[in-house]
Each structure stands twice: as C-alpha cells, then as structure tokens.
Amino acid sequence: MKLFRTVLMSGLALALCGGASEALAAQAPAKMMTLQMPATPDPARVTLDPKTTALIVLDYVEDICNNQVSCKTKMLPAMTPFMERVRKAGLTVAYGTRAQNQTKWLKEVAPVPGDIRITNTAQDRFYNTDLDKELKAKGIKTLIMVGWKISGSVTYTSVGAMAHDYTVVIPMDTTSAGSDYETTIGFYNVLNSGNANLPNQPLKPNAVTLTRTDMITF
C-alpha cells in the first residue's frame, strides 16, 4: 500500500510538472523578429514665402532641454541662428507648451511681444486651442515646425496641422528624441502620416517635408 501511494504521488508530481511546463511554454514570448527600418530620406531644399509661413516652436523650455542632451547640444545650436533669420525675414512665430513651462522658454529662442502663444493640454497644439484660428487670420499656409520631440509633440502637431490644411516643413536639426532609434521612428512617422510623403517631395501640399535649417531660404 505504501509503495502504491509512492508511485501514485510520483505520477501526480510528474503530471503536475508536465502541466506546468506546458503552461510555461504557452506563456513564453514569441521569437523576436528583426525588421529593417526604411532609410530616412535626405533633407530637401525649400524656398518659403515669409508672408504665408509661420514658425511653430514646441517645448524649447528649461525643464525639458536641461534633461535632454540632444536639445542643448544639437537642437539649440541649430535653432539660435535660424531664429535670427526667421525674425529678420518677418515670419509669424507661434509658441506652444504647457502652462507650467510658459515662463521657462530658453532665452536664445524665447517669445517676443506680438508672437502667438498657445497653452496646450495635449501634444497636438491644435487640439482645443485657438492656434488654427490665429494662423488663418494671418493668412498662414505653411508651417515650419521645430522642438521637442520628433516622436511626440512634433509628430502629433504635424498631423493636426495637415488635418487643418497646412503644409509642414520640419528642419531635422531642430528636433530630436531620447535615442537615435526613437528619432528615426519619429521622422518615419511624420512622413507616413496624413498626406504621406515618404519620398520627401519638397513642399508636397498638406504633407510633411523634412529639411535642414541651412537648406531653407525665404
């Protein structure tokens, strides 16, 4: 009788172990796949009309840029001279960030009297704001979009812009993300959103064009 109980318990243990193994196998993650990202196209040269073009500045603020290396070492050095050119050309300039950051714009690219200022509650600066109304009142048709970050606010605001019938230009040296991978994904997403422009055709209507600050003329 004792031997029978031992054999029975042993069989039960094996059955339980086998069931546990099957359960673990069923829960095991699928094998990882390696996919090749499409290459980011070269930036395109563009010539823009200052009277119908606005610069949209997103989150060039202390609380973000002080914690993001690429914002201070790559984005800001590109934006500072570009902002001087924008001001000289007389473009409309609009700023968008959350309420707590409105007094924390980086001094090199900070708002001046007369600029449009949007306090947003979503990453898309067109959502539940007067940005479209204020831009349309000035006859704006094309937006240069800069700021933190390409995979976040820049992506969502560019989609919002296309939905409101704007053509968008993004200088690649004025935006970034937390990693090279995330930055690449961001550039792909903006080109593949709305009126998609994966070949990066210069100034395709109601689409995004990727460029660089030194490839923009007014």
Side-chain angles (χ1 to χ4, degrees), residues 95-131:
Y95 288 79
T97 194
R98 293 183 183 270
Q100 65 268 27
N101 289 324
Q102 284 289 359
T103 61
K104 298 177 181 179
W105 293 100
L106 298 179
K107 65 181 186 300
E108 294 90 341
V109 295
V112 300
D115 289 340
I116 297 171
R117 298 182 66 163
I118 297 298
T119 298
N120 59 282
T121 56
Q123 293 195 75
D124 176 8
R125 301 312 194 261
F126 288 92
Y127 176 76
N128 204 28
T129 73
D130 289 330
L131 180 57

Side-chain angles (χ1 to χ4, degrees), residues 26-112:
Q27 294 174 6
K31 185 178 180 181
M32 294 292 290
M33 294 179 62
T34 300
L35 299 176
Q36 182 69 41
M37 274 292 296
T40 302
D42 293 333
R45 291 190 177 277
V46 296
T47 299
L48 304 173
D49 182 354
K51 294 180 181 178
T52 58
T53 302
L55 174 67
I56 309 296
V57 184
L58 308 178
D59 291 334
Y60 267 88
V61 295
E62 295 171 2
D63 286 357
I64 293 175
C65 286
N66 287 342
N67 295 313
Q68 299 293 341
V69 174
S70 61
C71 187
K72 282 294 186 70
T73 63
K74 296 179 181 179
M75 293 167 52
L76 190 60
M79 260 306 295
T80 303
F82 185 62
M83 179 63 84
E84 293 177 2
R85 291 178 53 213
V86 164
R87 297 292 190 191
K88 186 176 180 179
L91 272 71
T92 295
V93 183
Y95 288 79
T97 194
R98 293 183 183 270
Q100 65 268 27
N101 289 324
Q102 284 289 359
T103 61
K104 298 177 181 179
W105 293 100
L106 298 179
K107 65 181 186 300
E108 294 90 341
V109 295
V112 300

Side-chain angles (χ1 to χ4, degrees), residues 12-27:
L12 179 61
L14 287 171
L16 289 173
C17 288
S21 298
E22 290 177 4
L24 288 173
Q27 294 174 6

Side-chain angles (χ1 to χ4, degrees), residues 129-177:
T129 73
D130 289 330
L131 180 57
D132 180 54
K133 180 181 177 180
E134 296 198 47
L135 292 172
K136 292 267 187 357
K138 294 178 178 292
I140 301 302
K141 298 178 181 179
T142 302
L143 306 179
I144 305 170
M145 204 166 293
V146 303
W148 189 265
K149 59 183 177 171
I150 183 59
S151 56
S153 293
V154 176
T155 290
Y156 289 102
T157 305
S158 69
V159 172
M162 288 183 280
H164 287 86
D165 298 323
Y166 296 96
T167 296
V168 181
V169 172
I170 300 177
M172 299 170 71
D173 49 347
T174 63
T175 186
S176 187

